[in-house]
Amino acid sequence: MNNKVTGGKVSYLGTKLINAEPMSRAAYNDFRGWELPADEDGTDEGYLVEYVDGGKPNTLAYTGYVSWSPKEQFEAAYRRTDGMNFGMAIEAMKMGKKVAREGWNGKGMWLMLIPGSNPTLTTGTPYAEALGEYGDSHGNVDQIPINAHIDMFTADQCMQPGWLASQADMLADDWAIV
């Protein structure tokens, strides 16, 4: 995979979970206690952006790092979390969030990403019994990697390991963080 490098700069594609509220440039400067620079237009529409997934707070009024973004750049970069596409839903799960589709028939259903693990296998369990032939020269299987996977909390309130997306799920724009 090649990065596009121009003029010493490297391109990045970012995914962050933020809180935001509409706020003009002048209102943001007032909020921060700053004087609006003479060469800036205070009526510019934009958003106060709070980064909630890391970084030290830079004001006592918010728990995350706060900055201001012009409306055009903000709306090109961010989508609400109640109208995400499938790729954004996957990114949210990678951040530890649970996601669901508004269009699902069952109520209360959601998905979560289960990270990969290397559990110790206990003698007599189905994994240990099934994998016994793959053990060391004595047939011992102590650990076997379990790959990351997506599980579903179903409408009948059970966890279903190994959920797979349908074409409709992959193309839908009604994913939300729950």
Side-chain angles (χ1 to χ4, degrees):
M1 175 167 42
N2 293 328
N3 284 325
K4 182 179 179 180
V5 179
T6 9
K9 296 179 183 176
V10 178
S11 296
Y12 291 85
L13 176 63
T15 304
K16 297 194 77 52
L17 182 60
I18 64 162
N19 292 325
E21 58 186 273
M23 185 175 285
S24 71
R25 184 184 300 269
Y28 180 74
N29 278 275
D30 289 345
F31 163 72
R32 295 304 304 267
W34 300 339
E35 189 172 319
L36 182 69
D39 61 344
E40 292 185 4
D41 181 358
T43 64
D44 285 343
E45 293 183 67
Y47 290 84
L48 178 143
V49 179
E50 179 189 15
Y51 298 93
V52 293
D53 60 353
K56 291 182 180 179
N58 57 347
T59 175
L60 296 176
Y62 291 86
T63 58
Y65 182 86
V66 172
S67 67
W68 185 82
S69 179
K71 182 179 179 178
E72 182 179 351
Q73 287 79 2
F74 178 89
E75 291 179 353
Y78 296 105
R79 287 182 69 168
R80 292 174 55 114
T81 58
D82 59 353
M84 299 185 299
N85 63 33
F86 187 54
M88 293 174 75
I90 290 172
E91 289 299 325
M93 285 190 287
K94 287 180 178 180
M95 293 178 187
K97 305 297 181 188
K98 298 183 289 188
V99 299
R101 282 201 51 213
E102 186 178 304
W104 277 339
N105 291 333
K107 298 300 176 203
M109 300 185 326
W110 46 263
L111 305 177
M112 65 184 291
L113 178 67
I114 305 299
S117 61
N118 228 357
T120 300
L121 299 178
T122 304
T123 303
T125 63
Y127 274 142
E129 296 299 319
L131 296 169
E133 65 188 82
Y134 298 104
D136 62 19
S137 60
H138 305 288
N140 295 322
V141 176
D142 293 330
Q143 290 186 316
I144 188 79
I146 296 177
N147 293 332
H149 56 280
I150 297 173
D151 288 357
M152 175 185 260
F153 185 73
T154 66
D156 56 351
Q157 300 190 347
C158 298
M159 289 304 296
Q160 177 61 52
W163 175 85
L164 295 175
S166 69
Q167 291 284 317
D169 291 328
M170 288 186 277
L171 297 173
D173 285 326
D174 65 350
W175 288 94
I177 293 176
V178 296

